[in-house]
Amino acid sequence: MTQSANPLKQYFRQPAIYLKLPSSGKYWPSGSIELTHNGEFPVFPMTAIDEITYRTPDALFNGQAVVSVIQSCIPNVKNAWAAPTSDINSMLVAIRLASYGHELEISSTCPSCENADDYVLDLRHVLDQLGMPDFESTMVHGDLEISFAPINYENQNKSNQSQFDEQKMIQNITNSDLPDNDKLVRLNQSMIRITELTVDALKWSIVEIRTPGAIVSETEYIKEFLLNCDRKLFNRIRDHVIDLRQIAELKPLDIVCDNCKHEYQQTVTLDMTSFFGPAS
């Protein structure tokens, strides 16, 4: 029996909400998303298989869980690996909202009195806060003009995995019984690799660099430039990319401790198994 002939089809899941992406579909490669006439995308609740997928440690670490769940719950997305990272948080929040409702309970410990308590976050407000960085603006440095674009999820995920591996290696070296001289050599090698990973992340965030005589968009030339430009320019580019990405990140939750009335901020993360745990 084909799916179209299934008499139970009317009971299949239906869209729970409609989402407007921060990017409005811009920066998605051709074929990676099916645009709609009004810019709103249907978001379906997660299936039981989606929940299992998002609780598989390996799939979480390598990014496959995020990709699979997004493509399942937002069918207009054909290739979530190609999604600009500025849209990822919005899609994950929308899926969580469609699956479990608008309230998300989070636990937080006061840094002043160490009192632990639970707080409720309204995901509708979270969606409203997520914005799109202004990638139309360029950075001018002397006679150079640098244009930026959001990194896609695949490259961001690769960078995150590699950074995690290097940080873990540094920790293992630090805690090892190696002679101090050997430790220093290996730590320096790891730090060099981390710097190279940062350069890779930056090269994926740069669309082109204009000079008086050329427009350079080749990633290998941009990487070579980043490895050889002066420290001040490199730091300026890095800080600019960080500022752009933060606009698409969740704002921390403002909390007043019930016990001591201390005011502080709690970071909220989306790419963890607990975020997609059933609502209480």
Side-chain angles (χ1 to χ4, degrees):
M1 179 180 293
T2 64
Q3 188 182 58
S4 60
N6 190 339
L8 297 176
K9 186 176 182 181
Q10 62 179 312
Y11 299 102
F12 290 3
R13 59 179 176 162
Q14 299 296 319
I17 64 171
Y18 286 81
L19 171 69
K20 282 192 173 183
L21 294 173
S23 72
S24 298
K26 190 175 181 181
Y27 304 109
W28 288 73
S30 177
S32 61
I33 190 170
E34 184 180 327
L35 299 177
T36 63
H37 71 281
N38 63 354
E40 295 186 352
F41 299 90
V43 182
F44 292 73
M46 291 168 57
T47 65
I49 293 177
D50 293 334
E51 282 192 334
I52 293 171
T53 299
Y54 218 92
R55 293 178 184 181
T56 304
D58 288 345
L60 277 174
F61 182 72
N62 65 25
Q64 186 59 55
V66 172
V67 168
S68 296
V69 171
I70 287 176
Q71 292 177 183
S72 169
C73 296
I74 309 179
N76 288 69
V77 175
K78 306 305 179 184
N79 180 13
W81 287 113
T85 51
S86 51
D87 284 341
I88 292 292
N89 282 341
S90 291
M91 291 189 290
L92 293 180
V93 171
I95 292 169
R96 201 327 174 147
L97 200 160
S99 302
Y100 305 120
H102 66 271
E103 291 186 345
L104 173 66
E105 190 175 275
I106 64 172
S107 298
S108 180
T109 300
C110 175
S112 179
C113 70
E114 298 187 351
N115 176 62
D117 214 336
D118 294 330
Y119 301 87
V120 175
L121 182 65
D122 191 328
L123 295 178
R124 296 171 299 186
H125 295 163
V126 171
L127 271 181
D128 291 339
Q129 292 175 352
L130 292 172
M132 183 67 186
D134 180 14
F135 288 105
E136 299 299 324
S137 298
T138 60
M139 175 187 291
V140 177
H141 183 85
D143 58 4
L144 294 178
E145 184 178 5
I146 305 173
S147 300
F148 300 88
I151 187 173
N152 66 35
Y153 180 67
E154 182 175 16
N155 287 333
Q156 182 64 68
N157 187 66
K158 287 179 180 177
S159 178
N160 291 344
Q161 286 188 65
S162 299
Q163 294 265 5
F164 176 84
D165 290 341
E166 288 300 328
Q167 293 291 352
K168 187 175 181 180
M169 184 176 296
I170 287 175
Q171 185 178 7
N172 290 338
I173 293 171
T174 302
N175 297 331
S176 71
D177 295 327
L178 290 171
D180 289 343
N181 286 340
D182 290 345
K183 279 187 180 181
L184 184 60
V185 170
R186 296 194 182 189
L187 286 173
N188 285 339
Q189 291 173 343
S190 288
M191 293 306 297
I192 290 173
R193 284 194 292 269
I194 288 177
T195 300
E196 290 175 345
L197 291 172
T198 302
V199 169
D200 281 337
L202 291 179
K203 81 178 181 186
W204 288 322
S205 300
I206 296 175
V207 178
E208 63 182 28
I209 301 177
R210 292 176 175 264
T211 75
I215 300 176
V216 181
S217 58
E218 293 85 355
T219 53
E220 65 270 25
Y221 292 159
I222 292 173
K223 179 176 182 178
E224 186 178 11
F225 163 75
L226 291 169
L227 288 170
N228 290 281
C229 67
D230 68 72
R231 177 182 59 85
K232 289 183 178 180
L233 176 55
F234 179 87
N235 290 341
R236 186 183 173 199
I237 294 172
R238 180 200 61 200
D239 293 345
H240 182 77
V241 170
I242 291 174
D243 289 342
L244 288 172
R245 290 179 186 171
Q246 285 178 343
I247 294 174
E249 296 295 326
L250 261 71
K251 307 299 182 290
L253 179 64
D254 292 321
I255 290 179
V256 179
C257 176
D258 291 335
N259 184 55
C260 70
K261 306 307 178 185
H262 176 67
E263 298 180 6
Y264 66 99
Q265 292 186 322
Q266 172 68 49
T267 302
V268 181
T269 57
L270 303 185
D271 56 346
M272 299 175 66
T273 305
S274 59
F275 182 73
F276 284 98
S280 59

